[in-house]
Amino acid sequence: MADNRLSRDVVPEHYDLTIKTDLVGLKFWGTAEVTLDVLRPVPSLTLNVASPLSLKTAVLSSTALKTESLRPATAISLNEKRERAEITFAGGEVGAGKVKVGLRWEGELDASMMGYYRSSYKTKEGKDAYYGLTQFEPTQARRAFPCFDEPDFKATYSISLISRVGTTSLANTNSTAVKHLGAGGDFPRTELLNDEFFRSGVVGGKTEGKTEGKTEGKTEGKTEGKTEGKTEGKTEGATVATAKDDWELTTFAKTPKVSTYLVAWANGEFEYLESSYKSPLDGRVVPMRVYATWDHIKQASLALETKVRILPIYEKIFDIAYPLPKLDTLVASDFDAGAMENWGLITGRTSVYLYDPKQNGIATKKNVIGVQSHEVSHQQWFGNIVTMAWWDGLWLNEAFATLIGEVIMIEEIQPDWKVHSSFISDHLGRAFTLDSLRSSHPIEMPCPDEDTIQQIFDAISYSKGASVLKMLSNLVGQETFLKGVSLYLKAHLYGNGTTPDLWAGISKASGQDVAKIMENWTKKVGFPVVTVEETSEGVKVRQNRFLASGDPTPEEDQTIWHIPLEIMSVDKDGKSSIDHSAILSEKEGEFKIKDVKNSTFKLNAKTCGVYRTLYSPERLAKLGDEAGREDTAFDLTDRMGLVQDAAVLASSGYALTSSALTFISKLSSEKENLVWTEIATALAKLSSAWWEQPKEVRDGLDKMKRTLFGPLKDRLGFEYKEDDDVDTVELRTLAISMSASAEDPATLAEYKRRFGLLLDNNDESGIPSDLRTSIFSQSVKHGGEKEYLKVLEIYRNPATPFHKIASMVAMCQTRDPELLKRTFEFVLSSEVRTQDLAQFFASLAINISAKRQLWKFFQDNYDEIMTRFKGNFSIGNVVKASFQTFSTFEDADAVEAFFAKHDNAAYDKPLSQGLDSVRAQAAWLKRDAGDVREWLVKKQYI
């Protein structure tokens, strides 16, 4: 791995960056003065550079900056594969000490959603227009400026942006000055970046003299105004501000030390909402804004309000004040990831930051608040002030932001959302799904190259990381846990941290050997299943690695985890107690339970442990009886965990699927939405794997769903009331949508009536926000061209981002061959943003009529898809979605054969995970197809 990292002989201390943005010609130019500490003499300087950036020239000086000591570059050697530039200077080696290097480059504002790129929107006049913004995590800063693009090369930054008058320039810190430049927008000169620097250049390893000097000199000076003027005249959609040859220089305050991936800037015609908060620690009033284009700004209030609510609470929790002079959020129309925590300038998709209370439901509100809280948690705590030393420590950023930002903070401000319980569905279950595959990876994942780094932004780094932290917090106590985290942060302020550093902080606070407890949870792949065998005095338990395929080899089953068993027992009077001292740190162990034969007990009380629990069929039946009782001793989290374990253990071959279905059937009187969510998830997974089974079997599964969810639907009704609590809203939404997907005639008739009002009168008042996706989808699925064209119309002119998403999903659910063909043709058209392709693929993958066409479509358009997604986070999701809902061994073999012909280095992990999923589903089907049919017949669903 060391060979793939930059040398530690040269360390950056400060970057002076100036970036010029042309939103009409869609280009950018840049200069930098980088102060370096050369620790020992080196023959050349090597730093990161990647396309579309083109490095033009460089010059070296001692920090004394005597003109006669300037050393121009004699050669720039590019290694495109390793994304590096090696610069050799006149006079030979670079001696030890402080030096400055001057750099000049240019690049295209492309649509890649990486580096410094362009995003598009419509002006008020309906014309196309653009703005520029950055996305540097993990290794894309090098696409925007030459840099030492590794997280432990922290440096300070002074950023200046040259842009047209009338546009808004943003960066990590506050603007300190705006200077009018006039026509041409020439770069400022310094002793290092003098006129000679702008006249010279290095191309192809040789110094280029007057030719480039003249061209570049004119471009930077008077001629640039003329050139751009011509470009502007021809460009459709240029607004008044972006078209003017009138420029200004905006200078921003110097940043604290920060990693390259957190540097950010943007330029465009933005509008903003503004507020502030007063720090409870230092009394500062910190301004906050949310920026967006004119068409989105009115829906950005909730994102702003959330920042104002949570920042003071974060400061109090960790006793560390937010250090920057402002905190902005920029809402982007084109964005690869969901959101990004750039220090002082958070960015993200419209779908995670926009909310209209009149047109969006509780799911949208939860998403906006949760994502904003997640990103804010990075700002002064997890990632930005204290940054992982290398990408194998990504989980230190993302697991904490998930646990603190999406659970602990939300519990503070929205206790009625029951986030500690919903964590089981949202994160623990998600982590288990990926980590149950052979092709999973440890939380601390070796990252030897950029391709690997790009693929670890997944459920392991985020959700499993958060799950093991939550387990640890439960073990030592949340107050002690947070105190230990604060100690860790304070010890590494403005620096880099590692996993052992974190364990040291929590050990100091708790007095326990946390490193020993947690080592295998973060360093080893997978998680355990704990098998419970009853004895005369209690239970004998054994831990083994859990696999979705149910068949770990002895070599795969070597890890011994430190497992808090949290044994809950309920006495004959219904009183419960939890044995917190029961720890399994060997392969097997025995633990006493009083009157075990006549008591009710379960392991993993409150479902805080990162493991599955396998009981005997007889004990599982007893647990189902207890869970189904109205006055059950099992709380919400216990019941959720029992459903999840029963369903997954059956799908993996540790138990029969019929036993899981019997268990679920006993919960028909359940009142809690989150338990029903687990039931719905389990049945949806079963239906997905059984998609090619005989129709009578699939109809039988639908009948079971109607039997379970129909009474809920009838009790709650279709009408959403203003005084409904969150649980009622979500349970109503779940019950109705599950009934509709199970072909309930009454529900589908009501959907048709409500969608008919939209069709005939453009009246959407009959479509509740939380049911929009379900109503749109079922209306297209059971309708024809009229319904399809209506959602296409809404896609093209959506009232909110979620109207657009609902339309995307719906267009993919048609069963009409001609309309399905139209959807596939539409997917790769100019009307679909690259960021939305993954949504189309995921939606087509759940349509039985489209699954096989989707796989063929992916193969036929492989080259175009790879080109559009090159380097993006989303490529792995698109690859997996194209085939992972298959459920035969033959399909897995065919998919594997196709990809064997292609270079899959950029997505090899998602590919392997998708193939593992298909084979696990195929094995499940082979084992239990007969078992499920027999159970359905026995229960008279067939």
Side-chain angles (χ1 to χ4, degrees), residues 479-500:
E479 187 177 340
T480 300
F481 174 78
L482 293 176
K483 181 182 177 184
V485 173
S486 180
L487 291 172
Y488 156 71
L489 294 171
K490 288 178 178 179
H492 300 279
L493 287 177
Y494 301 104
N496 298 87
T498 63
T499 301

Side-chain angles (χ1 to χ4, degrees), residues 530 532 601-603 613-617 619-620 623 642 649:
V530 175
V532 182
F601 72 89
K602 77 176 286 288
L603 275 62
T613 308
L614 177 61
Y615 301 97
S616 67
R619 176 55 62 177
L620 183 63
L623 291 170
L642 284 168
L649 288 163

